[in-house]
């Protein structure tokens, strides 16, 4: 068979009367030179509701994206869909659409992801999200770093690579490069399963193009070797739209210079929620390269190099504190500049307009951590722990002492081995200790580097109608955070939940010698508005939203186990936010559904027995009948599996079977 659907199916950007359907047809041999007709069909139960056709062409990398609008769509109905072409049938997918703005909606279930670096491990988080919701996800958010642009020798390094064979093997620069990387990711069965299970709503961060990018450049772009940044950005965003079920706001074919083609946008979910997806990278962001983590680290290092014989406990009140305070003053002057933007004036104006007409819950999806996170204060963490458990506090104090001395044995909590401190490791840790102890911000790529812009956003959130509650979701940091956003007058105006990465390592990769509990305690000590943190696990956030409560769980997964079905998962923590209150409250984790309950919801190639017999009598091939019977009798078939011989009547899941 010359054409195959190797990359699964996906739906995205759900509206009350519209859905984007996506697939990719993989050519084989000489067939790559021609366009091929691809037929799509949407089923409601056993009834074919809508159908049509499109073409898979080389100019779009043989991807097919159909924006289906219809007055026949009804809210809450589980629709199934698939594609056929040249004798091949795609896997089946399913989606539900929200009611129109203002129409009653009881609840929503959705998952939130970010930062999926294939080399660092499996994509178990994607599949686990499907298994965690017995009634099925309404949609899922991806808040950026859906792919990474690095080559296989860079991030991760060969020594830390869990999934080898990255394609292409070099850094992404050209359109062909970005297309191949998206294709490599889309072959993953975990991603295919989630993509088929519910609509995706996405926004990019930096790695979809290049690390630490902004309007006119990026840290990981070097024009002398890689050419013009604008050309690279256009190529990256074109591939992004080709390979994701997005709805660009312009005709991409007729306006290819209009990067980024998709900007901020709004989704309404009945009378329950309004979701604003914000763009923080390519449209309005000014450069972050004037001051960097590396430059501030080096400034602190130069000071400490002159006082290596002085214990860190002797730093306060002396020349070290005096000199570092100068650095802190320079940092604060830089990051509070009024002319530093992440959103830009046009987007801020748009947000102001949207906030005035929101539903009961105002949800903001964007790529980064909004709340203030100063570097961890390990010294204060020890003092705070002394009041709770003196034995643990003494252990932390001894550990800190050993890490700042050469030749002492320490334990690597990731490698689970003992090592001896080296000058490089000790000196880096001393800089971290100093930054945390004296409150020197070192993250300038996130909202902490754009303080005035953050204040502008928080001011807009403070004008949210009294009938609405604001929740902000973010990613980027690879770690899990939960905290409050406060106005300059001290009022808490929104809650901020930021998810751990799908695979990319967090603080456990930077300071593997610090116990996770000590690391988290040091972040609490430096940041009074931070309620909870985990810096050692990978996974996603899972949300159940009702009119009364937002219930959010941080779900961690095992990214090291290569085979599906063997990876483990756990709920690290759960939190409730009551409507009308700006307060994060601890809650209980939900019970994980039985896999049999979840499997019953997935699109499976099933038809009623009578329909099967009629089809066979009308001349269906014996092999096709056998394949349908096999699917009918095997109730655990996954969404990314399919019978290529299946034609009409379709393999579908009746609406009555969707609970």
């Amino acid at each position: 068979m010359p054409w195959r659907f190797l990359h699964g199916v996906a739906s995205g950007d759900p509206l009350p009367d519209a859905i984007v359907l996506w697939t990719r047809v993989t050519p084989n041999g000489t067939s790559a030179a021609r366009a091929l007709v691809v037929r799509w069909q949407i089923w409601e139960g056993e009834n074919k509701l809508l159908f049509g056709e499109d073409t898979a062409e080389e100019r779009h990398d043989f991807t097919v994206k159909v924006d289906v609008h219809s007055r026949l769509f009804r809210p809450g109905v589980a629709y199934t869909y698939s594609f056929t072409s040249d004798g091949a049938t795609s896997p089946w997918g399913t989606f539900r659409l929200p009611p129109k703005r203002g129409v009653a909606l009881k609840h929503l279930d959705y998952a939130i992801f970010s930062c999926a670096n294939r080399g660092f491990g499996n994509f178990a988080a994607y599949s686990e999200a499907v298994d965690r919701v017995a009634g099925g996800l309404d949609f899922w958010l991806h808040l950026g770093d859906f792919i990474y642009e690095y080559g296989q020798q860079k991030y991760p390094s060969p020594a830390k690579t869990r999934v080898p064979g990255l394609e292409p093997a070099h850094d992404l620069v050209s359109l062909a490069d970005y297309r191949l990387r998206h294709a490599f990711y889309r072959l993953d069965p975990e991603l295919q399963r989630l993509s088929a299970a519910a609509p995706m709503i996405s926004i990019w961060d930096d790695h979809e193009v290049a690390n630490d990018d902004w309007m006119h450049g990026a840290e990981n772009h070097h024009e002398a070797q890689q050419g013009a940044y604008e050309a690279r950005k256009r190529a990256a965003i074109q591939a992004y739209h080709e390979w994701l079920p997005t709805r660009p706001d312009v005709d991409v074919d007729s306006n290819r210079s209009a990067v980024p083609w998709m900007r901020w946008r709004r989704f309404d979910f009945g009378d329950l929620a309004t979701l604003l997806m914000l763009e923080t990278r390519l449209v309005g962001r000014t450069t972050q390269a004037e001051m960097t983590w590396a430059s501030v680290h080096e400034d602190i290092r130069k000071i400490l190099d002159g006082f290596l014989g002085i214990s860190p406990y002797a730093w306060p009140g002396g020349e070290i504190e005096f000199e570092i305070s100068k650095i802190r003053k320079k940092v604060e002057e830089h990051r509070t500049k009024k002319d530093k933007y992440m959103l830009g004036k046009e987007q801020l104006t748009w947000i102001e307009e949207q906030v005035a007409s929101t539903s009961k819950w105002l949800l903001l999806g964007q790529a980064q951590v909004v709340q203030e996170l100063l570097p961890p204060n390990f010294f204060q963490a020890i003092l705070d722990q002394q009041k709770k458990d003196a034995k643990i506090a003494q252990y932390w104090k001894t550990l800190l002492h050993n890490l700042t001395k050469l030749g002492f044995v320490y334990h690597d909590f990731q490698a689970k081995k003992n090592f001896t401190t080296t000058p490089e490791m000790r000196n880096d840790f001393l800089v971290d200790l100093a930054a945390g102890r004296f409150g020197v911000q070192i993250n300038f790529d996130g909202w902490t580097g754009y303080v005035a812009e953050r204040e502008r956003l928080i001011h807009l959130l403070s004008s949210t109608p009294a009938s609405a509650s604001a929740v902000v979701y973010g990613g980027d940091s690879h770690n899990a955070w939960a905290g409050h956003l406060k106005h300059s007058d001290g009022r808490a105006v929104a809650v901020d939940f930021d998810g751990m990465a799908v695979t990319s390592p967090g603080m456990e990769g930077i300071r593997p010698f610090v116990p996770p509990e000590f690391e988290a305690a040091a972040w609490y000590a430096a940041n009074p508005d931070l309620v909870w943190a985990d810096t050692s696990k990978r996974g996603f956030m899972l949300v159940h939203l009702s009119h009364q409560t937002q219930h959010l769980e941080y779900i961690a997964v095992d990214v090291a186990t290569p085979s599906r079905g063997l990876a483990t998962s756990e709920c690290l923590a759960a939190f409730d936010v009551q409507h009308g209150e700006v307060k994060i409250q601890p809650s209980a984790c939900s019970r994980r559904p039985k896999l049999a309950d979840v499997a019953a919801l997935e699109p499976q190639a099933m038809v009623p027995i009578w329909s099967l017999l009629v089809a066979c009598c009308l001349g269906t091939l014996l092999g096709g009948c056998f394949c349908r019977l096999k699917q009918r009798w095997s109730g655990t078939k996954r969404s990314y599996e399919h019978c290529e011989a299946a034609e009409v009547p379709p393999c579908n899941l009746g609406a009555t079977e969707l609970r």
Side-chain angles (χ1 to χ4, degrees), residues 22 48 83 175 192 218 237 318 359 395 438 501 552 569 612 630 641:
W22 176 95
K48 184 189 287 187
F83 299 84
L175 177 58
Q192 287 192 21
I237 299 306
S359 300
Y395 165 62
F438 300 117
L552 183 144
S569 67
L612 177 64
K630 182 180 178 181
E641 296 173 320

Side-chain angles (χ1 to χ4, degrees), residues 202-493:
S202 67
I203 192 64
W204 50 69
D205 194 20
D206 53 341
H207 289 291
E208 285 85 353
V209 180
N211 183 55
D212 288 1
D213 57 7
W214 55 290
M215 281 191 293
H216 305 304
E219 179 276 333
N220 190 31
H221 182 77
H222 312 284
E223 292 211 356
Q225 296 82 31
Q226 298 171 320
Y229 171 73
E230 191 64 27
R232 184 181 187 184
K233 180 172 71 173
R234 281 200 303 269
I237 299 306
Q238 178 177 336
Y240 181 90
H241 284 302
E242 288 174 343
W243 281 88
L244 271 69
T246 58
R247 181 181 287 113
D249 57 7
V250 300
D251 183 349
V252 175
D253 286 331
S254 63
N255 193 2
R256 288 188 172 274
S257 64
V259 173
W261 300 331
M262 178 184 76
R263 304 188 295 176
W264 42 92
R265 59 212 199 279
R266 172 175 177 148
F267 296 89
D268 286 295
F269 298 90
D271 64 347
L272 179 60
T274 295
L275 170 65
L276 304 183
M277 294 296 286
L278 309 185
E279 201 284 334
T280 61
R281 280 290 177 186
L282 303 178
V283 179
R285 179 190 278 256
T286 55
T287 181
Q288 69 278 62
E290 297 166 340
M291 183 176 287
T292 66
W293 171 90
S295 66
V296 175
H297 249 240
E298 184 60 26
D299 289 343
I300 296 175
R301 186 188 303 277
K302 289 177 181 177
I303 294 172
L304 296 182
D305 282 348
F307 301 92
L308 286 179
I310 297 179
S311 167
Y313 286 95
W315 288 349
E319 190 172 351
I320 290 178
E321 181 177 9
F322 177 74
E323 293 297 329
I324 292 181
S325 68
K326 294 179 183 178
I327 297 175
R328 183 177 64 241
K329 181 180 179 181
K330 184 172 72 170
V331 166
E332 292 304 306
E333 289 174 350
H334 169 75
R335 73 187 190 106
T336 56
K337 287 181 178 179
K338 301 295 184 183
D339 60 351
K340 288 176 63 64
Y341 289 93
M342 284 183 71
L343 300 167
K345 295 179 181 179
E346 184 183 356
Q347 187 171 187
L348 284 166
T349 300
W350 178 82
I351 295 171
E352 184 176 18
E353 295 169 352
Q354 306 309 310
V355 165
S357 60
T358 182
S359 300
K360 197 163 189 177
W361 291 93
L362 174 63
L363 313 175
L364 268 66
Q366 50 79 58
Q368 297 177 304
V369 179
V370 179
Q371 61 187 293
E372 177 67 16
L373 288 178
L374 285 169
N377 189 335
F378 292 95
F379 296 98
Q380 187 61 47
I382 293 172
L383 294 177
D384 294 343
Q385 187 64 32
Q386 186 70 40
K387 303 172 186 176
K388 304 173 185 177
D389 191 319
K391 186 176 180 180
I392 293 178
Q394 183 57 47
Y395 165 62
W396 289 354
K397 186 175 182 179
T398 302
L399 177 68
L400 188 149
H401 173 271
N402 291 350
L403 291 172
T404 59
K405 302 295 181 182
L406 292 178
F408 276 72
V409 174
Y410 71 90
H411 185 70
D412 187 311
F413 290 87
Q414 294 303 306
K416 298 180 180 179
K417 296 180 181 179
N418 291 330
F419 296 93
T420 303
T421 53
T422 64
E424 182 181 10
M425 191 209 81
R426 180 203 61 175
N427 293 344
D428 285 343
F429 187 53
L430 285 172
V431 172
D432 292 341
L433 289 177
R437 182 151 205 172
F438 300 117
V440 181
Q441 183 58 259
I442 58 176
N443 179 11
F444 305 103
D445 180 64
W447 286 94
T448 50
Y450 296 79
V451 174
E453 184 81 331
R454 181 175 60 194
E455 290 178 350
R456 289 186 279 262
L457 175 62
I458 291 176
H459 176 73
L460 293 178
L461 294 179
S462 70
S463 62
T464 301
S467 59
S469 294
V471 181
V472 179
Y473 302 123
D476 182 61
S477 77
H478 305 177
N479 304 291
W481 317 97
H484 298 99
L485 299 181
K486 290 187 176 179
H487 194 276
S488 56
D489 62 11
R491 288 180 297 131
V493 301

